[in-house]
Amino acid sequence: VESFLRGNLQVKFGGRRASTQPYEYSDYNSSDEQSLTFDSYTIPEDDLELGQSRLLEVDNRVVVPAKTHLRMIVTPADVPHSWAIPSLGVKCDAVPGRSNLTSISVQREGVYYGQCSEIRGTNHAFTPIVVEAVTLKDY
């Protein structure tokens, strides 16, 4: 159990009330020892391309290698958050001032969609979460 909780890759999600969702790959270090961080924004309805889902698509997906264990740290900045992706069987709640940890094992390549399931303010419940699992070669 302990090795599963450790995970092969650690991703930190620092939820915010706004439409942006910050992520950090804390195990990825460049030559200057900085973590890889990025923001993930909901794609506005007017900017969607053919085949993209309304209220579920983001500009920057969380890309992870398939067939690996992931350790997700959820730590919100301002309001309670729930990092939930039903097709991966994960829902991790967290409140400001506290961090919560969950481990998931993504076994297949593909795109997995979820949303924050906490209702805290305008459109907060529609904050999308997108995880894309790719082959280790493509990662």
Side-chain angles (χ1 to χ4, degrees):
V1 171
E2 187 177 317
S3 64
F4 182 75
L5 288 175
R6 228 177 300 134
N8 296 38
L9 176 68
Q10 178 173 294
V11 180
K12 181 179 175 184
F13 167 72
R16 291 187 200 138
R17 181 182 326 205
S19 62
T20 177
Q21 301 304 321
Y23 287 93
E24 175 183 330
Y25 288 84
S26 42
D27 290 340
Y28 175 85
N29 290 328
S30 58
S31 60
D32 58 358
E33 297 298 320
Q34 295 295 317
S35 296
L36 176 64
T37 60
F38 64 93
D39 288 335
S40 183
Y41 291 91
T42 306
I43 295 180
E45 193 171 342
D46 297 339
D47 296 339
L48 288 173
E49 296 176 8
L50 188 61
Q52 289 183 321
S53 300
R54 178 172 93 61
L55 296 177
L56 286 178
E57 201 56 66
V58 295
D59 62 347
N60 292 314
R61 295 174 173 177
V62 176
V63 179
V64 298
K67 298 181 180 150
T68 188
H69 290 106
L70 303 172
R71 183 172 132 170
M72 291 297 306
I73 298 175
V74 181
T75 176
D78 49 12
V79 294
H81 281 272
S82 181
W83 197 85
I85 301 179
S87 56
L88 290 177
V90 64
K91 180 177 191 246
C92 186
D93 298 319
V95 296
R98 304 275 186 209
S99 292
N100 203 353
L101 169 71
T102 189
S103 292
I104 56 177
S105 180
V106 182
Q107 293 301 313
R108 298 185 189 126
E109 294 95 20
V111 179
Y112 301 91
Y113 294 94
Q115 290 180 315
C116 180
S117 58
E118 289 289 335
I119 301 174
R120 300 282 187 259
T122 306
N123 293 329
H124 184 79
F126 302 111
T127 304
I129 301 164
V130 183
V131 172
E132 182 175 357
V134 298
T135 63
L136 193 56
K137 178 185 169 192
D138 292 335
Y139 183 71

